[in-house]
Amino acid sequence: MSATPRDRTASSPFAGLSIEPMTTVERVAEELRRSLFEGELEPGTPLREVALADALGVSRSTVREALGVLVAEGLADRLPNRGTQVRRLDSAQVADVCRARVVVESAGVRRWPGAAEAERQELRDALAGYSDLRGSDCTTAEFVAAHLRIHRALAGLAGSARLLAFVDGLHAEVRLALAEVDRARGNAAEQVHSHSHLLDLLEAGDTEAAAAELAAHLQEAEQSMTDEVERRLRAE
């Protein structure tokens, strides 16, 4: 007699767990993401389908699909008659994205007094997760994702799903630039302290001081990303 679902659950607490196996396309996309975030493939690098297929031991069609995933995520651009390349922002684009970030995240910060408790808790949890990665052997991609989760949670205080979708688009544009900056400056402790101070101001009810702290933080981030963009241009 075969075991019932209850018998299986009783015999193992993990009986109900399952995962979906990754497709080859997903594995290729994941390897390319890793390479992008670790700086092995720099902004502007052409992503040649044939060369990638040979290097990864997969078909050209698989690479093409994986590149489509990266384009959709804002990590690569398809250029007319030039194929696909790693996304590269210029200084004007960095400034424009950062101006938009200041507007939407400041709106969230100022809504803290009226924000839902779940939205406030998401910010606390995001900061705790970011702090836990400090000094760990996490990848740059994981660190950047944790960093951006904090900023998404700040915008999320506004309580608008449409605004969060807009923020996700902004973050898709700056993920690579931020990865370069976080990798270069290596000041995780300082970054955790800065974000913690912002949350402390919110918890104390001083939303204007928190908004000023956020504006200063994003201004510094913009300058760091702009410096990195210009450094790359000088090196070319």
Side-chain angles (χ1 to χ4, degrees):
M1 179 181 296
S2 61
T4 66
R6 181 175 180 178
D7 291 335
R8 288 195 296 270
T9 301
S11 64
S12 171
F14 309 122
L17 299 181
S18 65
I19 60 171
E20 291 294 328
M22 292 181 70
T23 66
T24 303
V25 170
E26 290 168 333
R27 288 197 297 272
V28 170
E30 182 59 29
E31 176 60 10
L32 290 173
R33 285 190 206 98
R34 182 202 62 75
S35 187
L36 297 181
F37 283 115
E38 295 303 325
E40 296 170 8
L41 292 175
E42 299 183 349
T45 300
L47 298 171
R48 308 296 188 195
E49 292 178 7
V50 173
L52 285 171
D54 289 344
L56 296 170
V58 297
S59 69
R60 185 175 176 181
S61 62
T62 295
V63 170
R64 187 179 302 115
E65 288 186 58
L67 292 179
V69 172
L70 297 188
V71 170
E73 293 177 349
L75 298 176
D77 291 314
R78 280 209 168 103
L79 306 178
N81 304 316
R82 293 173 58 188
T84 306
Q85 69 176 33
V86 179
R87 169 158 288 187
R88 173 166 54 184
L89 297 179
D90 59 30
S91 298
Q93 291 170 316
V94 169
D96 189 42
V97 169
C98 288
R99 280 195 296 269
R101 292 180 68 194
V102 170
V103 171
V104 295
E105 292 181 30
S106 295
V109 162
R110 290 192 169 92
R111 194 178 176 276
W112 172 270
E117 183 57 28
E119 293 160 355
R120 294 185 182 191
Q121 191 58 45
E122 169 58 18
L123 177 57
R124 298 181 187 113
D125 292 344
L127 179 57
Y130 186 57
S131 181
D132 287 345
L133 293 181
R134 179 180 53 183
S136 72
D137 59 353
C138 70
T139 66
T140 302
E142 290 169 332
F143 193 74
V144 170
H147 188 171
L148 289 177
R149 181 186 172 192
I150 294 173
H151 289 276
R152 188 178 193 275
L154 288 168
L157 294 169
S160 169
R162 288 180 175 81
L163 192 59
L164 280 178
F166 175 66
V167 168
D168 289 340
L170 293 177
H171 287 176
E173 292 193 63
V174 299
R175 281 169 67 193
L176 283 179
L178 185 59
E180 293 178 63
V181 169
D182 278 347
R183 191 170 57 246
R185 62 189 177 186
N187 61 343
E190 181 181 334
Q191 289 296 309
V192 169
H193 178 268
S194 174
H195 291 84
S196 296
H197 179 54
L198 197 158
L199 179 58
D200 288 343
L201 291 171
L202 288 175
E203 298 282 19
D206 196 344
T207 55
E208 287 307 311
E213 175 71 17
L214 173 65
H217 175 83
L218 291 177
Q219 177 60 43
E220 180 183 352
E222 177 184 346
Q223 188 60 58
S224 296
M225 286 188 283
T226 299
D227 289 346
E228 182 62 25
V229 166
E230 292 178 349
R231 183 194 67 78
R232 287 195 176 279
L233 286 175
R234 290 193 299 269
E236 291 179 355

